[in-house]
Amino acid sequence: MGDHKEQPLRVGAAVRRRRRALDLTLAVVAERSGLSVPFLSQIENERARPSQSSLEKVADALRTTAVELLAAADPACSVDVVRAGGAEPWAEPQVRSLVRGHHQMHASEFTGDHDAGRELQFRNDQLMYVADGAVEIEAEGRAYRLGRGDTLYLTGGVRHRWRATVPETRLLVVAVAEHIEALRDKPRR
């Protein structure tokens, strides 16, 4: 009885598909992201694995999110197990997709530090859960300090940023997928 997926996530094909769908050259994506053309080529050809920061830069250049690129990297399946992997402390920040494929929900695990200056805004609702460590989240002009076991819910469209405040923090983010148009209550007449 094995897991549905045993191979590591390969984001290169998803990056290439998105770039081609937008009819962009590697040079344009390089200019928008601040990354080099050879590095982007290596990512697309699965010869380099981008860091969280590099994947976010590529996603921004492709007018999408890192979560969407990760989701598009694997086909959807009805049952899938995502194993935790090694128990080593994280040498650098990482993001790991907990739901693979193109589904109505995304879940990602962020480990280590995070670019606290990066402002985020998602179209749909999301829930942030601190599995280990602590984070500070800025949303709508207020700072929220969360510790292990705390959650924060954000309605779609809320601009926010977050940072880990202790080493080896693990933050789980569960969100309605960006490709889903979440319905809001219609005003009554």
Side-chain angles (χ1 to χ4, degrees), residues 47-170:
R47 289 188 304 244
R49 188 171 175 187
S51 66
Q52 174 187 341
S53 174
S54 293
L55 186 59
E56 288 172 351
K57 289 176 183 178
V58 170
D60 287 346
L62 296 174
R63 297 186 186 108
T64 189
T65 65
V67 170
E68 284 293 320
L69 287 175
L70 290 169
D74 270 340
C77 54
S78 59
V79 177
D80 190 16
V81 175
V82 178
R83 298 287 180 197
E88 300 176 29
W90 302 282
E92 63 181 63
Q94 297 180 33
V95 62
R96 176 171 74 106
S97 182
L98 302 176
V99 177
R100 297 183 282 204
H102 204 63
H103 293 285
Q104 295 180 21
M105 179 188 78
H106 289 296
S108 298
E109 176 186 54
F110 293 87
T111 56
D113 205 0
H114 179 73
D115 179 4
R118 179 180 167 82
E119 187 174 64
L120 305 168
Q121 180 181 27
F122 296 97
R123 182 170 71 184
N124 294 327
D125 298 353
Q126 67 178 14
L127 178 78
M128 302 172 89
Y129 171 78
V130 181
D132 283 311
V135 298
E136 183 174 273
I137 301 169
E138 261 183 57
E140 296 189 323
R142 289 189 59 199
Y144 302 89
R145 288 179 177 80
L146 304 178
R148 184 175 182 199
D150 292 341
T151 62
L152 179 87
Y153 172 83
L154 295 168
T155 299
V158 172
R159 291 185 180 278
H160 63 284
R161 66 183 85 223
W162 67 271
R163 68 181 183 91
T165 57
V166 299
E168 298 183 22
T169 291
R170 285 186 20 216

